[in-house]
Amino acid sequence: MRVRMQVFGALTAVLVGAGALVLAGDPTAAQGAPGQPRYTAGAPGAGDAYFPFAGNGGYDVDNYDLDITYTPPAPAPAPIVGQLTGVATIDLVATQDLDRFNLDLRGMDVQSVAVDGKPASEVSPPAHGAEVEGAAYWHVQDDAARVWELTIQPRPKIKKGQTAQVVVAYGGQTTRPEDIEGALYGWVTMRDGAMVVSEPEGSMTWYPVSDHQTDKATYSFEITVPEGKVAVANGLPTRDPVTEDGWTTWFWDAPDEQASYLTTASVGDYELRYSETDDGLPIVDAVDDALTPANAATTEASLGLQPDMIGFLEDTFVPYPFNSYGSIVDDDTVGYALETQTRPVYSRVARESTVAHELAHQWFGNAVSPQRWQDIWLNEGWASYAEWLWSEHSGGDSAQTIFEGVMDIPADDPFWDLAIADPGPLGLFHGAVYDRGAATLHALRLEVGDEAFFAAAREWLVRHDDSTGTTEDFEAVYEEVSGQDLGAFFDVWLRTPSKPITW
Ligand SMILES: [Zn+2]
């Protein structure tokens, strides 16, 4: 969900100047062309205009195996600083002939790097275009420019289509990282553990990663914490936790393709509750034992609705896309909830509407992810619209009534000043992305009729399952299924920074 930001009157798409930096050669240089080397550097970014250095080029990750040991902060008045050491084993396949490639890693120190068992030596970042001898790695961390890049030069080089296994040992103090807007995200250190919520590119604060949703992968986790603490990640436990010498190791496996921002490994004083839906989908909830009584009661009631909500959304759209579900409800707060895959994280309380929202993201956002961050209305518009549908289904206000409430916002209200199909990196979590996004979907439903509206939604989910899609892809599905020209409709609702009046 992320926090609903107040409406900014003069919000503009401010891009940090980092885009001008080039860290790893020229990714557009033709490979194998006369005068060009055959093996080149993978790009330092996935090509997302909002976060130019998130993700990387030249390879696709198949699997991350994360072996993490975490020590939470000492009791107050000690600073809220934890200690993390990790070994990340990353299986990837080269998509070009690779001389070098990058991983994203922020705020952690690298102890060693090996590729296919061959260790690389740490060197200082070379000047642009300079040669480096042998297998090597270097780490650039520029907080001001928001550039965090670990460059690895494997030897031998990796041929296009070849697999490679990269092992990075790393670690450091954990703090409370902030995203581009200044909101807490990533590995957020808490007194009793950590809330791990990494949208849009905060996974790099706790493991080396190609931190963009265009490179989805599977995950496995071994998380070791002081005895008594519980570590909860995505997917399902693969075995019982093992306790030895005052430390407990928790084992989790997430076999469904997953975007990096949807990875979690939260640590706290959780009670684990195992159940399943009538169809046999496993549900694992982790509820902090220190919620206030009122928040615990609200949370209990909301989580009890999860099986009904899953059934409702399956009937409305397509079958639930992953191997498990459940929620993490922490007594700490980052100020928002996040739809981490199979296991959303909630701050202090899980309310019914928020639970419907984060559950709907498992289809809209997680199974089908926004190809670029500018497409985030496809996440938040749908998840908000699912709240409206659930409200109507469960006897609350109808979707039409809630839509009319949004349309009652006066035309001169700054709410309407945002073109939600390109909200800018500081506008990702602007209220209009949510509410105008949902209103766009309801207006679309009125425009094409219920049958085409839901048929196209199902087609969207099937066509882009385990992958990503753009706003333009979405528009194409709706035009195809409805047989209508919707160009003017989408221009008015998505690309015009004023209140839709006619369409
Ligand atoms: Zn959301």
Side-chain angles (χ1 to χ4, degrees):
M1 172 175 223
R2 293 302 304 265
V3 68
R4 290 181 182 232
M5 304 299 291
Q6 65 188 45
V7 174
F8 295 98
L11 187 72
T12 49
V14 181
L15 272 171
V16 288
L21 292 174
V22 176
L23 286 179
D26 179 1
T28 62
Q31 291 170 58
Q36 294 288 345
R38 171 173 165 190
Y39 288 84
T40 53
D48 196 304
Y50 286 12
F51 301 97
F53 291 94
N56 300 286
Y59 63 90
D60 280 324
V61 176
D62 287 333
N63 185 71
Y64 293 91
D65 183 74
L66 304 179
D67 186 344
I68 287 169
T69 299
Y70 177 61
T71 309
I80 301 186
V81 172
Q83 187 72 33
L84 186 152
T85 59
V87 178
T89 302
I90 303 166
D91 292 308
L92 56 80
V93 57
T95 56
Q96 69 183 57
D97 290 328
L98 275 178
D99 176 57
R100 301 169 181 173
F101 60 93
N102 282 18
L103 291 163
D104 306 312
L105 184 63
R106 170 182 175 187
M108 292 274 120
D109 298 319
V110 175
Q111 271 101 46
S112 68
V113 173
V115 179
D116 289 331
K118 298 181 183 64
S121 305
E122 182 174 17
V123 300
S124 299
H128 180 59
E131 294 284 322
V132 175
E133 278 298 307
Y137 71 88
W138 55 94
H139 195 186
V140 172
Q141 302 211 56
D142 185 338
D143 291 353
R146 300 188 69 83
V147 174
W148 301 283
E149 297 287 334
L150 171 64
T151 300
I152 298 170
Q153 175 173 289
R155 290 294 179 268
K157 300 172 185 181
I158 307 172
K159 195 173 155 62
K160 178 178 177 177
Q162 275 183 349
T163 58
Q165 186 169 77
V166 183
V167 178
V168 180
Y170 64 100
Q173 291 189 329
T174 67
T175 56
R176 294 162 68 86
E178 294 180 0
D179 71 5
I180 193 170
E181 291 183 51
L184 293 172
Y185 82 152
W187 189 280
V188 183
T189 305
M190 298 292 183
R191 183 67 70 190
D192 67 355
M195 286 182 79
V196 182
V197 284
S198 299
E199 190 182 21
E201 26 70 283
S203 278
M204 66 175 84
T205 66
W206 59 283
Y207 64 98
V209 55
S210 188
D211 207 351
H212 196 265
Q213 58 274 17
T214 46
D215 191 356
K216 294 187 178 186
T218 56
Y219 283 81
S220 52
F221 307 84
E222 277 188 43
I223 309 157
T224 301
V225 291
E227 184 177 357
K229 296 291 175 189
V230 178
V232 184
N234 311 92
L236 286 171
T238 51
R239 51 184 285 197
D240 288 337
V242 173
T243 298
E244 210 172 50
D245 299 332
W247 295 87
T248 301
T249 302
W250 298 82
F251 304 87
W252 295 85
D253 190 44
D256 296 304
E257 291 280 314
Q258 179 168 299
S260 54
Y261 76 91
L262 299 170
T263 308
T264 193
S266 291
V267 177
D269 301 315
Y270 305 124
E271 180 195 339
L272 288 175
R273 304 174 186 173
Y274 299 88
S275 60
E276 59 179 41
T277 65
D278 289 344
D279 291 339
L281 180 76
I283 294 186
V284 185
D285 293 318
V287 180
D288 199 299
D289 64 13
L291 302 186
T292 67
N295 284 343
T298 300
T299 294
E300 189 83 25
S302 304
L303 299 190
L305 291 169
Q306 289 177 143
D308 287 349
M309 289 179 176
I310 291 169
F312 171 67
L313 292 174
E314 287 190 323
D315 290 346
T316 307
F317 299 108
V318 298
Y320 179 77
F322 307 124
N323 78 333
S324 59
Y325 194 60
S327 296
I328 300 168
V329 187
D330 203 304
D331 67 327
D332 291 307
T333 182
V334 290
Y336 56 86
L338 186 69
E339 64 269 21
T340 35
Q341 190 154 306
T342 70
R343 195 134 307 115
V345 176
Y346 299 83
S347 291
R348 291 189 176 148
V349 63
R351 297 185 195 286
E352 180 176 336
S353 60
T354 314
V355 170
H357 180 109
E358 308 308 342
L359 174 63
H361 271 310
Q362 305 305 312
W363 288 263
F364 296 100
N366 298 8
V368 180
S369 304
Q371 191 158 321
R372 310 158 298 199
W373 281 112
Q374 74 170 74
D375 302 310
I376 193 167
W377 84 274
L378 291 166
N379 283 19
E380 301 309 342
W382 272 113
S384 301
Y385 194 56
E387 291 181 57
W388 299 11
L389 296 174
W390 176 255
S391 168
E392 179 169 321
H393 175 76
S394 57
D397 285 344
S398 68
Q400 177 67 24
T401 297
I402 303 171
F403 173 74
E404 287 166 7
V406 175
M407 297 312 285
D408 282 343
I409 299 173
D412 61 358
D413 192 293
F415 171 83
W416 298 110
D417 293 349
L418 188 70
I420 60 172
D422 193 5
L426 298 178
L428 291 181
F429 307 110
H430 189 295
V433 170
Y434 294 74
D435 295 339
R436 183 173 175 159
T440 299
L441 294 168
H442 191 76
L444 179 61
R445 180 177 169 185
L446 298 176
E447 185 80 7
V448 302
D450 277 13
E451 194 178 325
F453 177 77
F454 289 105
R458 289 188 282 271
E459 175 61 23
W460 167 252
L461 291 168
V462 169
R463 190 177 294 183
H464 296 280
D465 186 33
D466 281 342
S467 183
T468 61
T470 64
T471 299
E472 291 76 17
D473 294 332
F474 178 81
E475 294 173 26
V477 168
Y478 270 82
E479 291 201 326
E480 194 180 306
V481 172
S482 71
Q484 291 178 231
D485 177 354
L486 297 167
F489 175 91
F490 285 120
D491 280 346
V492 165
W493 277 95
L494 298 176
R495 298 190 179 84
T496 306
S498 59
K499 182 176 180 177
I501 304 297
T502 58
W503 53 86

